[in-house]
């Protein structure tokens, strides 16, 4: 066999698979750099359906339901660069350290993912090299080029959470998630609470930490960027009207925060 042919066939993504990274407003002027680790639920054709039914592949275990419609609109409202991952977190989770049990999950909530069982090292490496790495390389490049241009970067990583997990209902509408940043999350929490109609989660239903997160620790904290995670409950953004409302609300809040943040930085 010709080695060129061998290389071609050994790739995970084929000619008919779309690229992993979606970007919007690449030259956007906002200081906010938006990331969406669980934006899409695509599967590489080679992986078939991972042994799951279509209904399982539409659930929150496969992606962050509703977030795509929020982050795209928010990116437009703010003229903010958005970097999003189109492949499902069931292929490889772009917000988990490589090698973590939940990186290529064999179980998610109560579902077994047959296509992830007994994966060879080589197959796991392909998922990393073709899906995880290009996404994080792009975030890294974007931060580097902004630094070269002496443009500020505030990293905002957007997610959505299921209203009921393992039988337990979650009361929060929206949350700020953080670990080491002491600047942006308090501003955001204050702004969310000032809305008056929101049940606000402070590091609920999750907190950021190095073992279970990747984007904020690696791109935000390790590089010294002001950063936060945001989580929105999925039933509130399940349709376009909810996505529009939350995008508009977040755009307004972020404009206010931008003014405060940069006034404080200059002071
Ligand atoms: Zn997520």
């Amino acid at each position: 066999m010709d080695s060129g042919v061998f290389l071609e066939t050994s790739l995970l993504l084929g000619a008919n698979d779309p690229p992993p990274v979606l970007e919007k407003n690449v030259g956007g002027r906002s200081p906010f750099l938006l990331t969406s680790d669980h934006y899409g639920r695509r599967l590489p054709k080679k992986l078939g359906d991972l042994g799951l039914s279509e209904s399982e592949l539409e659930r929150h275990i496969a992606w962050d339901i509703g977030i795509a419609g929020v982050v795209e609109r928010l990116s437009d409202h703010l003229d903010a660069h958005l970097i999003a991952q189109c492949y499902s977190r069931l292929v490889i989770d772009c917000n988990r350290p490589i090698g973590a049990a939940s990186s290529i999950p064999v179980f998610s909530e109560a579902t077994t993912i047959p296509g992830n069982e007994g994966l060879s090292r080589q197959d796991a490496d392909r998922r990393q090299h073709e899906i995880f790495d290009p996404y994080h390389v792009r975030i890294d490049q974007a931060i580097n080029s902004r630094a070269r241009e002496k443009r500020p970067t505030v990293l905002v990583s957007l997610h959505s959470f299921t209203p009921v997990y393992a039988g337990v209902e979650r009361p929060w509408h929206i949350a700020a998630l953080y670990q080491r940043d002491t600047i942006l999350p308090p501003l955001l929490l204050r702004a969310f609470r000032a809305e008056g109609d929101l049940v606000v989660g402070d590091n609920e239903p999750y907190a950021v930490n190095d073992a279970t997160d990747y984007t904020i620790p690696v791109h935000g904290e390790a590089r010294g960027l002001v950063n936060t995670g945001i989580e929105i409950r999925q039933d509130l953004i399940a349709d376009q009207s909810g996505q529009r409302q939350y995008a508009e609300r977040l755009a307004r809040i972020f404009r206010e925060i931008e003014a405060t943040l940069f006034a404080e930085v200059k002071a």
Side-chain angles (χ1 to χ4, degrees), residues 42-94:
R42 285 188 177 279
L43 301 177
K45 291 200 167 45
K46 258 190 187 171
L47 300 185
D49 56 13
L50 287 173
L52 295 172
S53 66
E54 185 56 27
S55 63
E56 290 283 8
L57 292 170
E58 287 171 358
R59 290 182 59 224
H60 75 90
I61 61 170
W63 62 329
D64 281 1
I65 293 168
I67 205 67
V70 175
V71 292
E72 287 189 16
R73 288 176 174 89
L74 182 60
S75 166
D76 287 343
H77 288 321
L78 294 174
D79 191 25
H81 186 181
L82 165 67
I83 304 178
Q85 173 56 258
C86 297
Y87 285 90
S88 172
R89 63 188 300 177
L90 296 177
V91 178
I92 186 163
D93 192 325
C94 282

Side-chain angles (χ1 to χ4, degrees), residues 37-38 64 89 158-160 231:
D37 305 334
H38 304 142
D64 281 1
R89 63 188 300 177
L158 291 116
H159 294 265
S160 70
E231 287 270 3

Side-chain angles (χ1 to χ4, degrees), residues 58 79 111 119 135 137 149 178 182 229-230 259:
E58 287 171 358
D79 191 25
T111 302
L119 209 61
Y135 175 68
V137 164
E149 293 161 16
Y178 53 93
T182 55
I230 290 181

Side-chain angles (χ1 to χ4, degrees), residues 10-267:
S10 69
L11 290 172
L12 171 62
L13 297 180
N16 296 322
D17 288 310
V21 185
L22 175 140
E23 294 186 66
K24 268 182 82 86
N25 298 314
V26 175
R29 296 187 341 183
S30 170
F32 298 107
L33 172 63
L34 310 179
T35 62
S36 187
D37 305 334
H38 304 142
Y39 169 96
R41 62 178 195 94
R42 285 188 177 279
L43 301 177
K45 291 200 167 45
K46 258 190 187 171
L47 300 185
D49 56 13
L50 287 173
L52 295 172
S53 66
E54 185 56 27
S55 63
E56 290 283 8
L57 292 170
E58 287 171 358
R59 290 182 59 224
H60 75 90
I61 61 170
W63 62 329
D64 281 1
I65 293 168
I67 205 67
V70 175
V71 292
E72 287 189 16
R73 288 176 174 89
L74 182 60
S75 166
D76 287 343
H77 288 321
L78 294 174
D79 191 25
H81 186 181
L82 165 67
I83 304 178
Q85 173 56 258
C86 297
Y87 285 90
S88 172
R89 63 188 300 177
L90 296 177
V91 178
I92 186 163
D93 192 325
C94 282
N95 193 35
R96 297 289 181 273
I98 294 298
S102 52
S103 164
I104 300 179
V106 173
F107 300 101
S108 185
E109 200 176 12
T111 302
T112 302
I113 298 105
N116 289 349
E117 288 181 306
L119 209 61
S120 71
R121 174 65 188 267
Q122 193 181 35
D123 285 338
D125 285 350
R126 283 188 186 122
R127 297 189 190 189
Q128 179 190 343
H129 295 148
E130 295 181 51
I131 293 173
F132 182 98
D133 288 349
Y135 175 68
H136 289 293
V137 164
R138 271 306 291 143
I139 298 174
D140 203 45
Q141 288 172 341
I143 294 169
N144 289 342
S145 73
R146 296 166 76 108
R148 273 197 306 274
E149 293 161 16
K150 306 222 177 325
R151 296 180 51 208
T153 299
V154 176
L155 181 73
V156 180
S157 180
L158 291 116
H159 294 265
S160 70
F161 63 96
T162 182
V164 180
Y165 186 83
V168 179
E169 282 193 34
R170 279 122 161 225
W172 312 282
H173 295 141
I174 196 163
L177 276 75
Y178 53 93
Q179 181 174 231
R180 297 183 178 96
D181 190 299
T182 55
I183 298 170
L184 182 53
L187 285 176
L188 202 54
L189 287 167
R190 197 191 309 158
F192 287 163
R193 289 181 182 127
E195 292 287 293
D197 62 338
L198 296 174
V199 180
V200 178
D202 179 348
N203 260 341
E204 298 279 6
Y206 320 100
V208 174
N209 76 62
D210 294 342
T212 56
D213 290 87
Y214 189 89
T215 298
I216 285 181
V218 171
H219 298 296
E221 295 175 342
R223 302 199 60 168
L225 299 180
V226 171
N227 70 81
T228 193
I230 290 181
E231 287 270 3
I232 309 171
R233 207 176 65 199
Q234 289 170 358
D235 55 306
L236 304 173
I237 53 170
D239 62 17
Q240 295 210 11
S241 144
Q243 292 160 13
R244 205 174 299 123
Q245 285 173 39
Y246 270 83
E248 283 168 7
R249 201 194 276 245
L250 284 174
R252 173 170 50 76
I253 288 170
F254 274 120
R255 282 192 203 101
E256 291 164 10
I257 283 180
E258 181 179 342
T260 311
L261 207 51
F262 290 95
E264 282 180 6
V265 168
K266 281 178 197 137

